[in-house]
């Protein structure tokens, strides 16, 4: 077979077009920072990228769950510490009232203070983080304690997944930690 000028010209044009295509792909990769534009570019690498993206999304969700649990547990710790301090105050008031005879103004004042302390404990039992009442169990959108100290929440415990197969209780229910106080 004889090689003609036209055949050499067509071969050169084909090579130039192939090089331009590779150049365009390289420019696109450098501009976008992505080697793959579509799954059909490389299905194996595309599947790997999708798995890695899903893992990154999971990690981000675990981080948010951990931060939420930390916030809730910090609020619970602060509320329970305040309740403990109020219980110490109740203990002191009870000793003061016990030493006074019935009808004594000191005893009546102590009873009045006890009611105020109980109201404070109810308020602490109705502590919120965001829109959620932290001691309400599964009914976290409504206050778990009535004004008289009656618990109207439930016993379900919320958990947060902070890693694959690792769950953390984000708070305790009011019936477990505060009902005995009343």
């Amino acid at each position: 077979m004889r090689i003609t000028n036209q055949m050499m010209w067509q071969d050169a044009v084909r090579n130039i077009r192939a090089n331009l295509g590779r150049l365009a792909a390289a420019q696109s990769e450098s501009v976008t920072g992505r080697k793959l534009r579509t799954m059909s570019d490389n299905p194996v690498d595309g599947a790997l990228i999708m798995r890695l993206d899903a893992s990154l999304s999971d990690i981000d969700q675990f981080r948010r769950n951990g931060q939420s649990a930390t916030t809730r547990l910090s609020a619970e710790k602060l509320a329970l510490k305040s309740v403990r301090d109020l219980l110490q105050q109740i203990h002191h008031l009870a000793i003061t009232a016990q030493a006074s005879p019935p009808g004594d103004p000191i005893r009546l004042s102590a009873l009045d203070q006890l009611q105020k302390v109980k109201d404070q404990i109810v308020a602490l039992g109705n502590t919120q983080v965001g829109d959620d009442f932290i001691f309400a169990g599964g009914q976290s959108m409504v206050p778990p304690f009535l004004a008289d100290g009656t618990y109207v929440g439930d016993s379900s415990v919320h958990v947060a997944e902070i890693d694959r197969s690792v769950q953390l209780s984000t708070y305790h229910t009011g019936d477990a930690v505060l009902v005995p106080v009343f």
Side-chain angles (χ1 to χ4, degrees):
M1 172 172 168
R2 189 176 137 203
I3 299 175
T4 65
N5 286 338
Q6 185 176 7
M7 288 173 65
M8 288 189 314
W9 183 79
Q10 287 174 345
D11 188 44
V13 169
R14 186 175 32 254
N15 286 336
I16 290 172
R17 284 186 179 152
N19 286 338
L20 285 174
R22 286 192 295 272
L23 177 63
Q27 284 177 331
S28 173
E29 183 180 331
S30 69
V31 168
T32 62
R34 294 181 179 194
K35 187 175 180 177
L36 299 176
R37 289 171 294 172
T38 63
M39 284 292 286
S40 63
D41 288 345
N42 188 335
V44 173
D45 287 347
L48 176 63
I49 289 171
M50 289 178 66
R51 281 194 308 273
L52 291 173
D53 190 46
S55 291
L56 287 174
S57 294
D58 290 347
I59 290 169
D60 190 45
Q61 183 62 50
F62 296 147
R63 181 187 54 78
R64 285 193 307 270
N65 290 350
Q67 287 173 339
S68 175
T70 300
T71 300
R72 288 177 165 278
L73 290 171
S74 294
E76 180 181 293
K77 179 181 176 181
L78 185 61
L80 291 176
K81 181 185 178 308
S82 297
V83 168
R84 185 190 70 210
D85 294 344
L86 289 171
L87 289 175
Q88 290 173 348
Q89 187 177 349
I90 287 173
H91 179 71
H92 178 70
L93 287 171
I95 290 172
T96 302
Q98 181 183 14
S100 303
D104 187 356
I106 294 175
R107 187 174 194 152
L108 295 176
S109 173
L111 289 173
D112 185 47
Q113 288 178 356
L114 283 173
Q115 183 58 45
K116 289 178 183 175
V117 169
K118 180 181 176 186
D119 293 343
Q120 290 175 337
I121 293 174
V122 168
L124 289 168
N126 289 332
T127 298
Q128 285 182 279
V129 171
D131 292 335
D132 293 337
F133 291 90
I134 62 173
F135 294 112
Q139 300 178 359
S140 63
M141 298 307 285
V142 294
F145 288 95
L146 300 176
D148 66 354
T150 303
Y151 183 70
V152 293
D154 67 23
S155 299
S156 10
V157 177
H158 287 264
V159 293
E161 188 174 18
I162 58 171
D163 201 357
R164 284 182 182 81
S165 304
V166 178
Q167 295 183 340
L168 172 70
S169 174
T170 57
Y171 53 87
H172 299 88
T173 58
D175 61 341
V177 293
L178 291 176
V179 166
V181 171
F182 295 111

